[in-house]
Amino acid sequence: MGNRIGNNGMYTLLVGLIVLLPLAGGKAQNASIFETLGKIPTQEVSLELDFNALNEFRKKDQTFPAILRYKTENGDSVSWTVKLSVRGRYRRLFCDFPPIKVTFPKKELQARNLANFNDLKWVTHCFEDHDSDEHLLREYLAYGIYREISPYSYRTQLLKVTYINSGKPHQKIMRFAFVVEDDAEISQRLQLKENKDSFVIPLDSLDANSENQVAVFQYMIGNTDWSIVKGQKNVKYFKPLNGGKTVVIPHDFDFSGFVNAGYAVPATGTNIQTVRDRAFMGVKADKTILEATLRLYRDKQNGMNQYINSFPHLNDAVKKELIRYLNSFFSRDAGKLAASQ
């Protein structure tokens, strides 16, 4: 990456805020740092880090320090000394600005009367161009659309971030980012326990409705960069604490046709030409289950379209294109899917 991070100067985007509320479940007794970030006026934060360290550690699982700053609803300035690490498989090596994980000190969380959930996935722009902002916002919308479908879904918070090079403070980048809630937080919020031990999980141990809802969602958004059948990829498994079979929660949608990133390609063996085409990657479903899933999706179609239309950070042409792409699932590909199962 060399000097790609620091040499573009100030790249400013004027953005507003959408805070999406969770659809189900309780939450920690104390607010979490994830929830706290969602209450920052205008969602403006700064993250001071060493750009050289970000470059150096993209191939290593090693942490380095940073300082996160923002102002509260009362106008008070808040700062956190956090640890960063580069995460991801593809984007960490390919992107100008790789995605990161932000780890907060648990003792400091406790001292500030916040819940003990201290790890946040921080989804960043990939390249230093306008298209990367659009791709990030499209992926943010994908998370929100799945929250329309299932309570078993990650919450996200949209931010506008000023990245400051600690070695050369005049070097700053202002871009969109969004954070994804901690796995421990979603576990407590939805009364689940994450299954961290199984890369390949017996299909008869999965909640068939949950798996099918995920599979149809991935099909709808044109995402083949996920797997259950061939091993766990871009999904997490969680077991309900009150009993029942394992539910599936998806994440990372940047290779989907809905996002349509320039670097995205279909998974091998899918026999489709572009990510805008659709290939079903889930388990062959019982007819009754698939019919129920498709009925659920049709019931949610207007809500999905309204959610996209109400999003203030994409222009009307992009929003219309996203809605056309989703509607092509309902008008054409949902029927093909039903006939093929």
Side-chain angles (χ1 to χ4, degrees), residues 96-160:
D96 290 345
F97 203 111
I100 54 180
K101 183 174 76 171
V102 181
T103 302
F104 292 78
K106 288 188 175 182
K107 289 184 178 180
E108 190 64 23
L109 289 171
Q110 294 168 359
R112 301 189 195 193
N113 202 32
L114 294 175
N116 205 32
F117 309 124
N118 72 322
D119 287 337
L120 293 178
K121 288 174 63 176
W122 191 288
V123 183
T124 59
H125 64 285
C126 183
F127 299 116
E128 304 293 336
D129 57 24
H130 173 74
D131 288 345
S132 283
D133 290 296
E134 182 183 310
H135 297 149
L136 182 142
L137 293 170
R138 285 171 174 246
E139 186 176 10
Y140 175 78
L141 284 177
Y143 276 91
I145 289 170
Y146 193 66
R147 283 195 298 276
E148 292 285 323
I149 298 297
S150 174
Y152 295 118
S153 50
Y154 285 103
R155 295 180 297 170
T156 54
Q157 300 288 1
L158 187 64
L159 301 174
K160 51 180 181 178

Side-chain angles (χ1 to χ4, degrees), residues 116-221:
N116 205 32
F117 309 124
N118 72 322
D119 287 337
L120 293 178
K121 288 174 63 176
W122 191 288
V123 183
T124 59
H125 64 285
C126 183
F127 299 116
E128 304 293 336
D129 57 24
H130 173 74
D131 288 345
S132 283
D133 290 296
E134 182 183 310
H135 297 149
L136 182 142
L137 293 170
R138 285 171 174 246
E139 186 176 10
Y140 175 78
L141 284 177
Y143 276 91
I145 289 170
Y146 193 66
R147 283 195 298 276
E148 292 285 323
I149 298 297
S150 174
Y152 295 118
S153 50
Y154 285 103
R155 295 180 297 170
T156 54
Q157 300 288 1
L158 187 64
L159 301 174
K160 51 180 181 178
V161 187
T162 301
Y163 299 98
I164 302 170
N165 188 354
S166 57
K168 298 178 180 179
H170 66 280
Q171 290 184 344
K172 300 178 182 179
I173 304 169
M174 296 181 69
R175 301 300 289 262
F176 280 112
F178 66 87
V179 293
V180 183
E181 71 179 318
D182 190 324
D183 287 334
E185 184 165 3
I186 194 174
S187 295
Q188 179 165 309
R189 178 169 64 86
L190 299 180
Q191 294 298 287
L192 306 170
K193 181 179 180 181
E194 184 182 358
N195 182 345
K196 299 181 180 180
D197 301 326
S198 300
F199 177 72
V200 178
I201 192 166
L203 296 182
D204 60 5
S205 70
L206 292 176
D207 182 294
N209 291 294
S210 169
E211 187 280 332
N212 192 241
Q213 287 173 10
V214 171
V216 172
F217 173 73
Q218 304 279 25
Y219 180 74
M220 180 181 72
I221 67 170

Side-chain angles (χ1 to χ4, degrees), residues 45-311:
V45 304
S46 67
L47 189 63
E48 184 176 336
L49 67 150
D50 185 339
F51 287 178
N52 288 332
L54 187 66
N55 291 332
E56 180 182 352
F57 296 141
R58 62 171 59 232
K59 295 183 180 180
K60 304 175 183 178
D61 293 326
Q62 186 170 338
T63 63
F64 54 99
I67 300 175
L68 177 68
R69 296 185 177 94
Y70 55 84
K71 289 188 176 181
T72 68
E73 296 170 287
N74 298 326
D76 297 329
S77 297
V78 177
S79 66
W80 294 86
T81 299
V82 297
K83 292 183 178 179
L84 305 184
S85 57
V86 179
R87 62 173 192 83
R89 296 182 181 133
Y90 181 80
R91 281 187 275 192
R92 70 185 295 158
L93 301 177
F94 184 77
C95 292
D96 290 345
F97 203 111
I100 54 180
K101 183 174 76 171
V102 181
T103 302
F104 292 78
K106 288 188 175 182
K107 289 184 178 180
E108 190 64 23
L109 289 171
Q110 294 168 359
R112 301 189 195 193
N113 202 32
L114 294 175
N116 205 32
F117 309 124
N118 72 322
D119 287 337
L120 293 178
K121 288 174 63 176
W122 191 288
V123 183
T124 59
H125 64 285
C126 183
F127 299 116
E128 304 293 336
D129 57 24
H130 173 74
D131 288 345
S132 283
D133 290 296
E134 182 183 310
H135 297 149
L136 182 142
L137 293 170
R138 285 171 174 246
E139 186 176 10
Y140 175 78
L141 284 177
Y143 276 91
I145 289 170
Y146 193 66
R147 283 195 298 276
E148 292 285 323
I149 298 297
S150 174
Y152 295 118
S153 50
Y154 285 103
R155 295 180 297 170
T156 54
Q157 300 288 1
L158 187 64
L159 301 174
K160 51 180 181 178
V161 187
T162 301
Y163 299 98
I164 302 170
N165 188 354
S166 57
K168 298 178 180 179
H170 66 280
Q171 290 184 344
K172 300 178 182 179
I173 304 169
M174 296 181 69
R175 301 300 289 262
F176 280 112
F178 66 87
V179 293
V180 183
E181 71 179 318
D182 190 324
D183 287 334
E185 184 165 3
I186 194 174
S187 295
Q188 179 165 309
R189 178 169 64 86
L190 299 180
Q191 294 298 287
L192 306 170
K193 181 179 180 181
E194 184 182 358
N195 182 345
K196 299 181 180 180
D197 301 326
S198 300
F199 177 72
V200 178
I201 192 166
L203 296 182
D204 60 5
S205 70
L206 292 176
D207 182 294
N209 291 294
S210 169
E211 187 280 332
N212 192 241
Q213 287 173 10
V214 171
V216 172
F217 173 73
Q218 304 279 25
Y219 180 74
M220 180 181 72
I221 67 170
N223 189 25
T224 58
D225 187 38
W226 75 284
S227 176
I228 291 172
V229 177
K230 296 181 179 179
Q232 182 181 11
K233 182 179 182 181
N234 288 336
V235 295
K236 295 286 183 74
Y237 302 135
F238 293 85
K239 184 85 169 176
L241 295 181
N242 62 359
K245 293 191 174 183
T246 299
V247 298
V248 184
I249 303 182
H251 59 89
D252 286 4
F253 308 118
D254 62 306
F255 269 68
S256 68
F258 183 84
V259 173
N260 201 25
Y263 57 78
V265 294
T268 56
T270 55
N271 296 321
I272 58 175
Q273 299 303 309
T274 76
V275 292
R276 298 289 282 180
D277 300 322
R278 294 183 171 102
F280 188 73
M281 306 291 287
V283 178
K284 185 176 177 63
D286 176 89
K287 181 179 179 181
T288 302
I289 291 174
L290 180 58
E291 287 177 348
T293 299
L294 293 176
R295 189 162 54 248
L296 170 65
Y297 274 69
R298 291 189 182 101
D299 290 343
K300 299 289 187 179
Q301 182 180 4
N302 287 339
M304 296 178 201
N305 292 345
Q306 290 171 9
Y307 170 60
I308 294 171
N309 266 327
S310 67
F311 189 64

